[in-house]
Amino acid sequence: MDKRPYDLWAEVPSPIKTRLRNAFTAYAEECFQKDGILLKAYVPAQVGGNTPKEEYLKGMKPEDLPDACFLMDFGECSEATFAALAEKAYEKPEIRAWFPEVMAVDIRRLGERKIPETYDDLLREEYRGEICLIGNKKMPDPLAGLYMLRKYGPEGLEAFVRNVASFAPPSETLRHVGQLSNIYGSIFLMPPLFAQICLEKPAAKVVIHRSGALAEPMLLYQKPVAPAKEKVRGFFDSAAFRELMADYQMPAIGDNRFRIEKSCWELATEEELEIVFHAFHKK
């Protein structure tokens, strides 16, 4: 692996990896033609890219870290090892975009039970065994669990976990929502990019809470001094970036078409995520 620091290292959700890589490449070409500045970026196909585990970001020395990173809050960002490293190498991270989730409801399976209107409704006993999350039991999507923990404490988190029936990617569950083949649950938490497909199904409904969607922050870390610092920031301020994120319903900061639940502005800690994961593991 080339050990020279990248101007940008971006670990992002799968649907936007290629598009983000291409958009930054086009932006870099413009910068080179205009100012002669050569920008170097890396968008791994998977977490850690093609590097061995010991060369993940959290395993690097401060001087080897990329000059900027665009990362998901629930990934390396929340780990104490990376947090300590980032504190030495980077300025305070900025939220530049969101990875939101909404509720897609299978009305056929839900039957006579009330359609949930808020995330808080998901604590009700009538939804026992009816919630499907992204991920798996070993590594569940912690977004809704984190919300419950912060608002209702450990007891609220445990009540939510009891209501979770299954874990599966939206690409797998979509074709079953509203169908007799649905064995996953009646309430699916998934990104709006996938949930919008459910709108085409007569036996499905998409619910977005009035206070806003739960969402995982997408963070930009930058070193205080870096040769291309302002150029990298310029990409995240660009119309190309905003349009890219809007196309995948992962709104950039400043895009007010999608309201985000206010509690999501507080970044997750390693301790919080450990509590959430433990609650699922002991189920």
Side-chain angles (χ1 to χ4, degrees):
M1 178 182 176
D2 187 345
K3 288 292 187 179
R4 293 173 300 163
Y6 288 94
D7 296 299
L8 176 66
W9 176 303
E11 293 186 359
V12 294
S14 296
I16 66 169
K17 287 181 186 293
T18 299
R19 179 90 179 268
L20 182 73
R21 186 184 296 115
N22 292 344
F24 190 84
T25 298
Y27 175 79
E29 290 175 354
E30 291 177 8
C31 290
F32 183 72
Q33 292 175 5
K34 182 179 179 181
D35 303 313
I37 296 176
L38 183 63
L39 297 176
K40 179 183 171 189
Y42 182 48
V43 183
Q46 57 187 356
V47 175
N50 58 4
T51 66
K53 190 171 183 179
E54 62 271 15
E55 291 184 355
Y56 281 21
L57 291 171
K58 64 183 180 182
M60 295 182 183
K61 297 178 181 178
E63 60 269 23
D64 293 330
L65 283 169
D67 287 344
C69 293
F70 186 48
L71 307 171
M72 306 295 291
D73 184 35
F74 298 161
E76 282 189 290
C77 299
S78 64
E79 296 184 2
T81 303
F82 179 77
L85 188 61
E87 191 172 350
K88 296 177 183 178
Y90 294 123
E91 298 174 327
K92 184 178 179 180
E94 296 179 68
I95 299 175
R96 298 310 303 251
W98 299 98
F99 185 71
E101 293 181 13
V102 298
M103 290 184 281
V105 181
D106 184 329
I107 299 173
R108 182 201 62 79
R109 174 164 169 154
L110 192 65
E112 298 298 319
R113 289 168 292 186
K114 183 181 178 182
I115 295 174
E117 297 178 352
T118 69
Y119 297 102
D120 308 71
D121 288 343
L122 301 182
L123 298 180
R124 292 178 2 205
E125 288 190 12
E126 64 186 287
Y127 301 130
R128 180 73 58 87
E130 292 299 326
I131 299 173
C132 178
L133 301 181
I134 300 171
N136 53 59
K137 189 173 181 179
K138 183 178 180 181
M139 189 58 66
D141 172 17
L143 181 60
L146 179 61
Y147 170 80
M148 300 302 180
L149 175 65
R150 287 175 169 176
K151 189 167 184 179
Y152 298 103
E155 291 184 359
L157 170 61
E158 290 179 6
F160 173 71
V161 170
R162 283 196 297 269
N163 287 351
V164 173
S166 61
F167 306 89
S171 57
E172 176 183 325
T173 58
L174 273 177
R175 64 180 180 273
H176 299 290
V177 177
Q179 306 296 322
L180 292 174
S181 60
N182 178 13
I183 61 172
Y184 298 95
S186 58
I187 304 164
F188 299 77
L189 291 179
M190 63 174 66
L193 175 68
F194 293 95
Q196 66 184 359
I197 299 174
C198 294
L199 295 175
E200 304 169 7
K201 300 173 178 285
K205 181 177 181 178
V206 175
V207 178
I208 303 176
H209 184 27
R210 289 188 298 274
S211 69
L214 294 181
E216 180 179 357
M218 302 174 74
L219 305 173
L220 176 64
Y221 288 80
Q222 287 193 289
K223 290 181 177 178
V225 178
K229 180 179 181 180
E230 294 307 316
K231 289 297 182 183
V232 171
R233 179 177 293 276
F235 172 71
F236 290 95
D237 290 334
S238 69
F241 176 73
R242 292 194 301 272
E243 291 168 5
L244 154 65
M245 302 306 286
D247 285 348
Y248 289 88
Q249 299 194 43
M250 301 177 195
I253 293 298
D255 184 345
N256 297 319
R257 290 174 291 180
F258 211 102
R259 185 179 298 175
I260 303 300
E261 215 285 326
K262 63 181 181 181
S263 66
C264 298
W265 285 87
E266 180 183 350
L267 303 186
T269 66
E270 184 176 35
E271 292 76 16
E272 286 179 319
L273 293 179
E274 284 182 354
I275 292 172
V276 173
F277 291 139
H278 179 69
F280 280 103
H281 296 163
K282 71 178 185 179
K283 181 179 178 180

